[in-house]
């Protein structure tokens, strides 16, 4: 496949947006593709996106080779996508797995024995792997290199097949790490260049599992080679509160943390909104001022380790990395089923009642009023559609902007309805004036000189005089862009837009949004072009109004078609005339 080569002298790490699962692609300096874990559904599509436009080698079976597939542990959300990879055109060459001595298979009948590995999941994984026919399958544990020719150090699980005893670095008590649970005995390893990145798999600690505590004990042991210090931390178990303790973060001391999970995952605490990443984990990260990148909002993340000040690069426009923001957004977005990427700002009133107080108090994206949300959305948007998508998840902000523009239109724009009302008022005043002139003289005198003649109320007291009315302006004086429906609405009905003023209003609307920074400046820009107000009001309520149905059957195309066909018709007519006179 032709395109930009995979080998570019940099080590690129992609944390793929695969929902409630894990998958990380590593492209080495020499262009080798490697993969850590593979979810059940999305890994193939995400890899396709990462490699789009880049030159990739092919195997004999015309698949893209994955040089090494690293399986951190045998669970579906990490191992279930092996078949998906092959069907998507990828072929695994070599496999690295955690040492099988650190796992225990569940009872095949009950599948509930001591948190071991499900025989069904193991068998499915083995069967799917056979299709790839890898050259090697290696099992590794703490102290090994991830691959023989790499510098990636494996930190966990322990290299002993039996239960490991150690002293908890937090409590000072004796603890054990049993060779049974898949999560507690997950592979953990660190890759280093100018910067370093620590992958924790699903290593757990609470509930007597003690995987994280064992790692900390090795880090604290002067005779151990384990060093947890890293610039970037891939959070264990999708940000679960059964890992990533404050003590663990003290030892890692990361600048950034990455978390892969799905918005509507079911791993909640007692609070139904508190799913992965759990509040406790986000609070620990917030307290230690760690930037947090969440695939739900940031999408697939690209990280390079060969430069100073490493910063993961999101593939979306979602820019907050504050843990308090992410906690607040988790609550709001789960409540309203909306992507965090679409939220520009929130007020405290928008948040569910059970939002943790620390997040509501500390989240930078929270503002005092809805007006601030609207103005920030206008500042960031480039088109009406951008603005609509940003404000739709916040209904009161959306409605407020609509009301503001509608009020500005009513104040500054003369519409066909205004002309009609003006004409009616004018002729009503004229008719009343004529009626008054037909009154007897003594009646008019009593109305005009009440003190002298005893007085009566003037019959035209509540009626505007002709001087107070602009006059019977004609409808033709109102721009067509104001008289007619917006261009987008006409296209939606299958009509052809032949009025250049309507299309100018459509373009002016997007320009106004792009140039404005507040509601007031937006309205000022809309006033400059007849019809822009009504076009905006239609587009802000209609998804993709300016792009949908835009086959461009408009005036410019009709003129072009006419110019193309006109010479042919003239030629045909001339030919017929020549034939008729026998020349």
């Amino acid at each position: 496949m032709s395109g930009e080569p995979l080998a570019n002298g940099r080590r690129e790490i992609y944390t793929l947006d695969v929902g409630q699962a894990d998958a990380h692609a590593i492209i080495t300096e020499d262009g080798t593709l490697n993969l850590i874990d593979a979810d059940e559904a999305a890994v193939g599509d995400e890899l396709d996106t990462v490699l789009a436009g880049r030159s990739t080698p092919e195997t004999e079976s015309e698949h893209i080779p994955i040089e090494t597939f690293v399986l951190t542990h045998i669970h579906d959300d990490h191992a279930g996508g092996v078949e998906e990879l092959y069907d998507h055109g990828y072929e695994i060459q070599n496999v690295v797995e955690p040492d099988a001595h650190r796992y225990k298979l569940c009872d095949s009948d009950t599948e509930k024995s001591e948190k071991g590995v499900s025989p069904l999941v193991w068998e499915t994984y083995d069967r799917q792997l056979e299709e790839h026919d890898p050259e090697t399958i290696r099992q590794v544990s703490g102290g090994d290199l991830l691959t023989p020719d790499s510098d990636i150090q494996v930190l966990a699980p322990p290299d002993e097949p039996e239960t490991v005893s150690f002293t908890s670095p937090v409590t000072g008590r004796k603890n054990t790490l049993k060779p049974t649970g898949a999560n507690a005995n997950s592979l953990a390893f660190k890759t280093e260049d100018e910067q370093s990145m620590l992958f924790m798999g699903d290593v757990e600690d609470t509930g007597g599992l003690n995987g994280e505590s064992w790692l900390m004990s090795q880090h604290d042991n002067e005779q151990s080679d384990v060093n947890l210090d890293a610039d970037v931390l891939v959070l264990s178990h999708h940000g679960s509160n059964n890992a990533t303790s404050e003590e663990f973060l003290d030892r890692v001391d990361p600048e950034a943390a990455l978390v892969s999970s799905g918005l509507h995952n079911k791993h909640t605490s007692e609070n139904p909104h508190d799913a992965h990443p759990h509040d406790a984990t986000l609070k620990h990260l917030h307290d230690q001022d760690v930037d947090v990148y969440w695939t739900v909002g940031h999408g697939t993340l690209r990280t390079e380790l060969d430069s100073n000040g490493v910063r993961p690069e999101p593939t979306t426009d979602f820019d907050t990395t504050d843990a308090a923001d992410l906690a607040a957004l988790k609550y709001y977005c789960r409540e309203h089923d909306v992507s965090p990427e679409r939220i520009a700002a929130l007020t405290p009133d928008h948040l569910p009642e059970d939002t943790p107080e620390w997040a509501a108090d500390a989240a930078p994206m929270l503002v005092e009023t809805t007006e601030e949300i609207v103005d920030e959305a206008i500042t960031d948007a480039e088109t009406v559609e951008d603005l609509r998508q940003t404000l739709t998840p916040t209904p009161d902000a959306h409605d407020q902007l609509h009301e503001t523009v509608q009020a500005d239109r009513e104040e500054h724009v003369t519409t066909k309805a205004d002309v009609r009302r003006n004409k009616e008022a004018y002729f009503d005043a004229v008719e009343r004036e004529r009626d008054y002139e037909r009154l007897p003289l003594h009646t008019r005198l009593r109305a005009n000189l009440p003190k002298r003649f005893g007085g009566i109320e003037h019959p035209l007291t509540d009626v505007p005089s002709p001087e107070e009315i602009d006059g019977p302006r004609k409808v033709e004086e109102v721009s067509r862009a104001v008289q007619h429906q917006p261009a987008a609405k006409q296209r939606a009905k299958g009509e052809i837009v032949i009025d250049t003023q309507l299309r100018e209003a459509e373009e002016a609307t997007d320009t106004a949004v792009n140039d404005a920074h507040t509601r007031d400046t937006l309205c000022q820009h809309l006033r400059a072009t007849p019809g822009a107000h009504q076009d905006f009001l239609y587009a802000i309520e209609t998804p993709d109004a300016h792009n949908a149905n835009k086959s461009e059957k408009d005036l410019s195309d009709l003129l072009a078609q006419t110019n193309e066909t006109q010479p042919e018709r003239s030629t045909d007519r001339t030919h017929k005339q020549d034939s008729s006179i026998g020349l």
Side-chain angles (χ1 to χ4, degrees):
M1 185 181 298
S2 61
E4 179 189 348
L6 282 184
N8 57 17
R10 300 189 297 271
R11 185 181 305 185
E12 306 169 62
I13 302 176
Y14 293 87
T15 300
L16 305 181
D17 181 12
V18 292
Q20 186 61 27
D22 255 311
H24 306 266
I26 299 179
I27 301 175
T28 62
E29 294 83 346
D30 61 0
T32 300
L33 173 64
N34 305 277
L35 185 67
I36 304 166
D37 291 332
D39 75 290
E40 295 178 81
V43 64
D45 288 334
E46 288 298 315
L47 269 182
D48 289 347
T49 301
V50 166
L51 298 179
R54 301 184 72 168
S55 177
T56 54
E58 288 187 348
T59 64
E60 292 182 0
S61 59
E62 298 183 344
H63 284 63
I64 297 172
I66 295 175
E67 183 62 27
T68 302
F69 173 67
V70 179
L71 177 65
T72 60
H73 63 290
I74 311 288
H75 276 166
D76 277 337
D77 58 337
H78 294 254
V82 172
E83 184 175 40
E84 163 87 2
L85 287 171
Y86 194 85
D87 292 343
H88 244 81
Y90 297 92
E91 188 173 276
I92 296 170
Q93 308 299 296
N94 302 281
V95 177
V96 175
E97 303 170 347
D99 193 329
H101 290 110
R102 297 303 305 175
Y103 289 90
K104 181 175 181 180
L105 291 179
C106 296
D107 185 285
S108 58
D109 295 325
T110 66
E111 297 239 338
K112 295 181 180 179
S113 172
E114 299 187 34
K115 295 187 177 182
V117 174
S118 163
L120 178 60
V121 174
W122 187 285
E123 291 166 6
T124 301
Y125 163 70
D126 273 348
R127 186 183 69 253
Q128 293 179 357
L129 197 59
E130 288 177 2
E131 196 168 19
H132 292 262
D133 191 22
E135 298 172 10
T136 64
I137 299 178
R138 295 178 61 244
Q139 294 188 344
V140 298
S141 56
D144 295 331
L145 292 178
L146 196 63
T147 61
D149 56 351
S150 78
D151 58 355
I152 300 177
Q153 179 190 12
V154 178
L155 307 179
D159 59 359
E160 301 177 29
E162 304 298 331
T163 297
V164 176
S165 298
F166 64 97
T167 301
S168 169
V170 178
T171 66
R173 298 175 182 173
K174 290 292 184 180
N175 276 348
T176 59
L177 176 56
K178 298 178 181 179
T180 53
N183 283 352
N185 289 279
S186 176
L187 278 183
F189 49 89
K190 185 167 72 169
T191 179
E192 298 187 71
D193 200 317
E194 294 289 330
Q195 306 290 312
S196 57
M197 191 165 181
L198 176 61
F199 294 85
M200 288 296 294
D202 273 6
V203 172
E204 291 183 307
D205 201 65
T206 59
L209 298 174
N210 301 324
E212 185 174 279
S213 291
W214 178 82
L215 263 177
M216 286 192 288
S217 72
Q218 299 304 296
H219 172 89
D220 294 349
N221 186 346
E222 295 181 356
Q223 297 180 354
S224 170
D225 293 332
V226 173
N227 179 9
L228 295 176
D229 182 79
D231 298 290
V232 181
L233 169 65
V234 180
L235 293 184
S236 175
H237 203 188
H238 320 286
S240 170
N241 57 10
N242 57 21
T244 318
S245 64
E246 293 177 273
E247 295 80 10
F248 179 76
L249 284 175
D250 285 337
R251 288 161 174 80
V252 179
D253 191 26
E255 293 183 20
L258 314 183
V259 56
S260 175
S261 72
L263 177 61
H264 291 292
N265 70 82
K266 299 178 181 179
H267 301 276
T268 59
S269 62
E270 295 179 358
N271 183 335
H273 289 107
D274 183 21
H276 290 164
H278 285 141
D279 293 348
T281 303
L282 291 173
K283 180 66 162 62
H284 295 161
L285 294 164
H286 177 264
D287 290 344
Q288 301 208 19
D289 199 26
V290 179
D291 290 336
V292 184
Y293 296 81
W294 186 20
T295 54
V296 168
H298 296 101
T300 289
L301 296 156
R302 179 180 182 273
T303 308
E304 285 188 14
L305 300 180
D306 59 352
S307 59
N308 292 324
V310 59
R311 291 286 96 181
E313 299 174 8
T315 50
T316 70
D317 294 329
F318 188 64
D319 57 5
T320 182
T321 58
D322 190 281
D325 276 346
L326 298 186
L329 283 168
K330 179 181 66 173
Y331 277 71
Y332 181 85
C333 294
R334 282 176 65 89
E335 175 89 5
H336 297 280
D337 191 21
V338 61
S339 169
E341 183 189 356
R342 296 179 59 188
I343 307 299
L346 295 169
T347 69
D349 291 340
H350 290 134
L351 298 177
E353 291 183 1
D354 52 2
T355 303
E357 186 175 345
W358 69 268
D361 290 343
M365 73 176 304
L366 290 182
V367 297
E368 293 293 329
T369 65
T370 304
E371 288 84 351
E372 293 178 67
I373 295 178
V374 175
D375 287 347
E376 183 171 344
I378 292 172
T379 300
D380 294 340
E382 296 182 1
T383 66
V384 181
E385 179 62 16
D386 292 341
L387 191 55
R388 187 195 66 78
Q389 290 188 11
T390 300
L391 292 180
T392 296
T394 314
D396 53 344
H398 184 280
D399 294 343
Q400 186 181 96
L401 178 60
H402 189 282
E403 292 171 4
T404 298
V405 175
Q406 181 63 49
D408 192 78
R409 180 176 186 241
E410 292 172 358
E411 181 179 357
H412 294 95
V413 177
T414 301
T415 66
K416 185 176 181 179
D418 294 331
V419 171
R420 183 173 60 252
R421 286 193 299 270
N422 195 52
K423 292 171 76 174
E424 290 172 354
Y426 173 79
F427 287 115
D428 181 68
V430 170
E431 187 61 31
R432 291 197 179 215
E433 183 67 30
R434 288 174 180 169
D435 289 343
Y436 173 73
E437 291 175 353
R438 287 195 290 268
L439 291 173
L441 177 60
H442 64 85
T443 301
R444 283 183 281 160
L445 287 173
R446 291 176 65 190
N448 290 315
L449 302 170
K451 289 184 178 179
R452 183 173 179 181
F453 295 96
I456 62 171
E457 184 179 353
H458 196 290
L460 302 182
T461 299
D462 298 323
V463 178
S465 67
E467 292 77 15
E468 295 174 320
I469 302 175
D470 293 337
R473 294 191 301 176
K474 299 179 181 179
V475 175
E476 287 74 11
E477 294 178 13
V478 181
S479 166
R480 285 198 180 106
V482 177
Q483 290 187 53
H484 294 266
Q485 296 175 340
K489 191 171 185 179
Q490 291 192 19
R491 291 193 194 95
K493 294 180 178 180
E495 299 177 10
I496 297 174
V497 180
I498 61 174
D499 196 320
T500 56
Q501 286 184 323
L502 291 180
R503 297 196 299 172
E504 287 173 1
E506 192 172 64
E507 294 174 2
T509 302
D510 283 331
T511 302
V513 172
N514 188 42
D515 293 345
H517 297 285
T518 65
R519 289 160 297 140
D520 289 342
T521 55
L522 172 64
C523 290
Q524 290 172 9
H525 289 314
L526 292 176
R527 290 175 212 155
T529 305
H533 279 82
Q534 71 172 358
D535 185 276
F536 177 91
L537 292 169
Y538 177 76
I540 199 69
E541 297 291 344
T542 309
D544 206 25
H546 285 177
N547 297 318
N549 309 304
K550 200 169 184 178
S551 59
E552 283 307 326
K553 293 180 179 178
D554 289 344
L555 182 62
S556 56
D557 297 313
L558 292 174
L559 289 175
Q561 293 173 12
T562 302
N563 292 335
E564 291 175 1
T565 56
Q566 190 64 40
E568 297 177 4
R569 292 177 182 173
S570 300
T571 303
D572 291 344
R573 189 181 300 111
T574 302
H575 178 71
K576 289 178 181 178
Q577 290 174 345
D578 290 348
S579 299
S580 66
I581 59 178
L583 295 177

